[in-house]
Amino acid sequence: MRTIKDIAKLADVSRTTVSRVLNDSGYVSEKSRKKVLDVIEETGYVPSQHAKSLRTKETKIIGVILPKISTDTSSRTVDGMNEVFGEKGYQILLTSTNLDKVKEIEHLRLLQNRQVDGIVLLATNTDEDLIREIQDSKVPVVVIGQEVPHDSGIPSVVFDDYGAAVKLMEALIGSGRRKIGYVGVEAADQAVGVLRKRAYLDVMERHGLESGAPSVQTGDFSIESGYEAASRMFSDGTGDIDAIFAATDRMGIGVWKYLREAGISVPGQVAVVGIGSSETSRFIEPAMTTVEYEFEAAGRAGAEILLSILNGFDNGPDKKILDFKLISRDSL
């Protein structure tokens, strides 16, 4: 799907110029106007506000694809979206992929067939097949939570996953921890699987600390996988691990449960930290040190970008990066 950015690039003009031509507002030289109109004719580009009138029916429905409906992350993000969409008279149609990346493509196609006006995707991966599917979509798509290629033309909302993980690692090292284990997820997930692990490895290297098996383990986001990862980490009798950084709170809770059952004190012998600031992380004892993301803000940002595209306006930067907050609790 062509965007204003694409037309501006092909015509060698600014996106503001393209918007002015499309909306017949503001000064544009005849030379620039002709360049824009020629590109529009060549590409068959239809501006969003005109596309709405060409559809047989404007549904006022936005499709939202979630990795899981039941998680705190998903519910808070949807709350933020619903706040923005609701004010503009839109309703949300939710689907869940259950962390199956194949279903992300299936659900993109399903929602387009349901004639939604646009889609917000809380992606679990951004492989070539998914990127191609989004680019070929009949309706605009905004991705939340995963990095997309810079030249893809796909708008996204992401958190500073690398920076957040570095902050946690520096907090652990600042507290005197040196043998730090890591529980992550598969590399198919760019945000959690790649960026957070990269931060862990970079900080360990910067401080001259060793990392590697069995102190680096992989889970699947679940509490159970965190428990099993911690079990593997300690199965060879290794007793010098003094901290574990879990890439998500849920896996961190699994780590915490294993340590408690194994008679290993937290944080006396092993500190445990995670990312996500989930409700449960507040109520376990000791409460878990974590990074808080404003998931509602991510939902609002994604909704605002999508509405901007639907209304035919320049959608601004391709990527919006949201900040984070370190929440220090008793597990550190």
Side-chain angles (χ1 to χ4, degrees), residues 161 164-165 168 196 245-250 273-277 290-291 293:
D161 286 286
L168 273 175
R196 298 181 193 181
F245 169 25
T248 71
D249 279 0
R250 286 177 63 81
V273 300
I275 291 182
S277 190
T290 184
V291 164
Y293 287 158

Side-chain angles (χ1 to χ4, degrees), residues 301-315:
E304 288 165 357
I305 291 172
L306 183 56
L307 288 178
S308 179
I309 297 171
L310 289 173
N311 288 318
F313 299 122
D314 185 351
N315 59 302

Side-chain angles (χ1 to χ4, degrees), residues 175-307:
S175 71
R177 312 289 173 162
R178 290 296 179 269
K179 183 64 174 179
I180 304 171
Y182 178 77
V183 179
V185 299
E186 296 292 343
D189 186 303
Q190 177 72 12
V192 182
V194 175
L195 294 178
R196 298 181 193 181
K197 183 178 181 180
R198 183 183 302 162
Y200 161 79
L201 294 173
D202 287 351
V203 174
M204 292 290 280
E205 181 179 7
R206 187 158 61 242
H207 286 272
L209 303 176
E210 293 184 8
S211 60
S215 60
V216 176
Q217 298 288 336
T218 301
D220 64 3
F221 291 92
S222 68
I223 292 174
E224 293 78 7
S225 72
Y227 182 100
E228 292 165 0
S231 175
R232 293 193 299 270
M233 201 176 291
F234 286 88
S235 63
D236 66 347
T238 301
D240 58 346
I241 291 177
D242 59 12
I244 299 177
F245 169 25
T248 71
D249 279 0
R250 286 177 63 81
M251 292 191 298
I253 291 166
V255 169
W256 169 88
K257 180 175 173 59
Y258 171 81
L259 295 175
R260 292 295 295 267
E261 291 183 1
I264 300 171
S265 66
V266 179
Q269 292 172 271
V270 179
V272 180
V273 300
I275 291 182
S277 190
S278 66
E279 283 292 316
T280 308
S281 70
R282 292 171 49 199
F283 294 109
I284 60 175
E285 182 61 40
M288 187 185 300
T289 292
T290 184
V291 164
E292 181 177 70
Y293 287 158
E294 293 188 15
F295 295 112
E296 293 88 350
R300 288 193 294 271
E304 288 165 357
I305 291 172
L306 183 56
L307 288 178

